[in-house]
Amino acid sequence: MAKLPRLTAKDAEKLLLEAGFILARSKGSHRIYIKDTKRIIIPFHNNRILHPKIVKQLLKTISQKD
């Protein structure tokens, strides 16, 4: 399996917005994005690299068909 890309929260947000997700709300340092019935939560912490599990979840959510 290929290595996952190293993404910051800003990079992840850009990918989500390009995929048609919208910012539903934010709570503290976490932002919640939705598209149809899909939801994903991205933590925003001072340009830190996202954990690989979050990146994997992000890519899986973006690539899913309805």
Side-chain angles (χ1 to χ4, degrees):
M1 182 173 178
K3 272 190 157 182
L4 293 172
R6 293 172 52 99
L7 299 176
T8 63
K10 286 185 181 184
D11 297 333
E13 181 179 44
K14 185 177 177 183
L15 289 174
L16 286 168
L17 294 176
E18 288 174 357
F21 283 78
I22 60 168
L23 177 63
R25 63 189 177 93
S26 62
K27 184 174 184 179
S29 61
H30 292 75
R31 295 183 184 174
I32 295 96
Y33 297 90
I34 59 169
K35 179 182 177 184
D36 301 326
T37 59
K38 296 182 257 180
R39 179 183 74 167
I40 187 162
I41 301 167
I42 303 294
F44 272 72
H45 297 290
N46 296 335
N47 290 331
R48 292 180 61 193
I49 302 297
L50 294 174
H51 192 279
K53 287 183 181 180
I54 295 173
V55 174
K56 186 176 181 181
Q57 178 188 18
L58 170 76
L59 297 175
K60 181 180 174 185
T61 303
I62 289 175
S63 67
Q64 284 180 348
K65 302 284 182 190
D66 288 332

